[in-house]
């Protein structure tokens, strides 16, 4: 398959999925990862897609949200590092909330595998997180699901979700984000999802955002939180020094998780 044919396939996958991963394209097209990277670079130079760590996303990121199944395969190491740092903010018996998105889901995975999850109650608008809690039969964690309208990212949003959320209270909230805008705050492409995230923020004593460094390269339509409304921002040490210094001045606490530590644990 020549380069123009490969690039046609890449753009076709982007139109249907919103995002693609280099490793998956390499396997599908039977070429090396380096070849796919060159194809993506050429398409990016033409303005037909946007490169991100491990793959590419559609250029219409203001309105497009990739499917959960696609996003869950991207930037896995970064999400693992962030998730492991976030576990320290949960104690046995806590009542917490976990938002939608793949970073929050990875956090839930690590949390439920730790002793910190003993006796906790989880409020969530994420179908994958709720299913994960139910699958962990050996854990005594309880899950409460908000209800609502299902998004492409498998999150429940809208007035029904917001009403349920507003009647509750949690110790700590863990939210992912589609993009980080300096110095504005945290954004998502879906206005209903933005409103539901804001509702979660309103019921939490402590608010934590989980965002790997690639989120600073995205942009989105709707802001759900400003920096001063968040207590802790957990990102990875791949964040540029410039952005890290700016974030320190805007948020109450900035945590830079090390992906290197996660890699050592795997070894």
């Amino acid at each position: 398959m020549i380069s123009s044919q490969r690039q046609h396939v890449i753009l076709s996958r982007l139109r249907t999925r919103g995002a693609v991963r280099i490793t998956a394209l390499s396997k599908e097209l039977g070429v090396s990862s380096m070849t796919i990277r060159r194809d993506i670079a050429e398409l990016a130079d033409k303005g037909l897609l946007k490169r991100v760590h491990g793959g590419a996303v559609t250029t219409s990121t203001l309105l497009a949200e990739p499917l959960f199944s696609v996003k869950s395969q991207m930037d896995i190491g970064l999400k693992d590092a962030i998730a492991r740092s976030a576990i320290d903010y949960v104690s046995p018996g806590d009542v917490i909330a976990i938002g939608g998105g793949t970073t929050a889901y990875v956090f839930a995975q690590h949390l439920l595998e730790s002793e910190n999850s003993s006796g906790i109650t989880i409020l969530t608008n994420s179908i994958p997180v709720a299913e994960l809690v139910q699958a962990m039969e050996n854990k005594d964690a309880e899950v409460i699901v908000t209800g609502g309208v299902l998004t492409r990212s498998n999150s429940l949003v809208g007035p029904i979700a917001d009403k349920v959320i507003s009647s509750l209270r949690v110790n700590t909230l863990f939210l992912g984000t589609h993009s980080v805008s300096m110095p504005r705050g945290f954004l998502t492409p879906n206005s209903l999802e933005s409103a539901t995230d804001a509702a979660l923020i309103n019921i939490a004593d402590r608010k934590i955002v989980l965002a790997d460094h690639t989120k600073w390269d995205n942009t989105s339509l709707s802001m759900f939180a400003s920096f001063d409304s968040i207590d802790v921002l957990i990102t990875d040490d791949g964040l540029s020094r410039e952005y890290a210094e700016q974030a320190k001045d805007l948020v109450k606490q900035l945590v830079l998780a090390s992906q290197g530590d996660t890699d050592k644990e795997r070894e």
Side-chain angles (χ1 to χ4, degrees):
M1 185 180 293
I2 62 176
S3 62
S4 61
Q5 292 174 317
R6 290 194 306 271
Q7 292 174 16
H8 176 78
V9 171
I10 292 170
L11 292 175
S12 176
R13 299 295 180 269
L14 274 176
R15 281 192 293 271
T16 57
R17 302 173 184 172
V20 291
R21 185 164 175 79
I22 290 173
T23 53
L25 287 170
S26 175
K27 184 179 296 185
E28 177 184 353
L29 300 177
V31 295
S32 68
S33 296
M34 185 61 68
T35 297
I36 297 298
R37 287 192 181 92
R38 284 197 296 267
D39 287 335
I40 287 176
E42 289 181 17
L43 291 169
D45 289 341
K46 297 175 183 177
L48 297 175
L49 55 74
K50 181 178 179 181
R51 285 186 289 178
V52 296
H53 185 80
V57 297
T58 176
T59 53
S60 57
T61 51
L62 279 171
L63 299 176
E65 177 74 5
L67 292 171
F68 185 92
S69 58
V70 175
K71 291 174 66 181
S72 63
Q73 298 302 312
M74 303 182 73
D75 305 317
I76 295 174
L78 304 180
K79 294 170 185 175
D80 278 340
I82 292 168
R84 292 180 187 277
S85 293
I87 290 173
D88 293 337
Y89 293 87
V90 182
S91 299
D94 275 355
V95 178
I96 68 171
I98 300 177
T102 54
T103 306
Y105 177 75
V106 173
F107 161 68
Q109 286 180 309
H110 286 286
L111 174 62
L112 291 170
E113 292 170 357
S114 74
E115 296 180 355
N116 297 35
S117 66
S118 177
I120 65 172
T121 298
I122 299 174
L123 170 67
T124 187
N125 68 323
S126 167
I127 295 296
V129 169
E131 291 176 341
L132 182 64
V133 178
Q134 288 298 95
M136 302 289 285
E137 297 178 356
N138 62 324
K139 290 289 181 182
D140 57 347
E142 180 181 356
V143 63
I144 301 170
V145 183
T146 64
V149 178
L150 190 63
T151 69
R152 283 171 57 87
S153 59
N154 283 3
S155 299
L156 295 166
V157 301
I160 295 175
D162 299 349
K163 185 174 182 179
V164 171
I165 291 167
S166 65
S167 66
L168 302 171
R169 194 76 190 174
V170 298
N171 301 127
T172 307
L173 165 66
F174 298 88
L175 277 180
T177 183
H178 182 266
S179 60
V180 181
S181 175
M182 309 289 284
R184 293 178 61 208
F186 308 95
L187 301 96
T188 180
N190 187 316
S191 58
L192 287 177
E193 187 168 5
S194 178
T196 299
D197 285 346
L200 286 166
I201 288 171
N202 286 336
I203 67 161
D205 295 329
R206 179 171 57 183
K207 283 78 70 175
I208 298 176
V209 169
L210 313 175
D212 69 72
H213 75 272
T214 66
K215 304 300 184 182
W216 272 258
D217 295 326
N218 293 340
T219 186
S220 291
L221 179 68
S222 181
M223 188 173 80
F224 62 85
S226 59
F227 277 95
D228 60 8
S229 66
I230 298 301
D231 297 299
V232 185
L233 171 58
I234 304 179
T235 184
D236 62 271
D237 57 3
L239 186 66
S240 71
R241 179 177 298 179
E242 178 185 359
Y243 280 146
E245 290 301 322
Q246 291 180 44
K248 286 178 183 178
D249 293 333
L250 293 169
V251 75
K252 296 172 185 175
Q253 182 183 358
L254 176 68
V255 177
L256 299 176
S258 173
Q259 187 179 358
D261 292 342
T262 303
D263 292 339
K264 289 178 184 177
E265 289 180 19
R266 285 176 177 170
E267 292 173 4

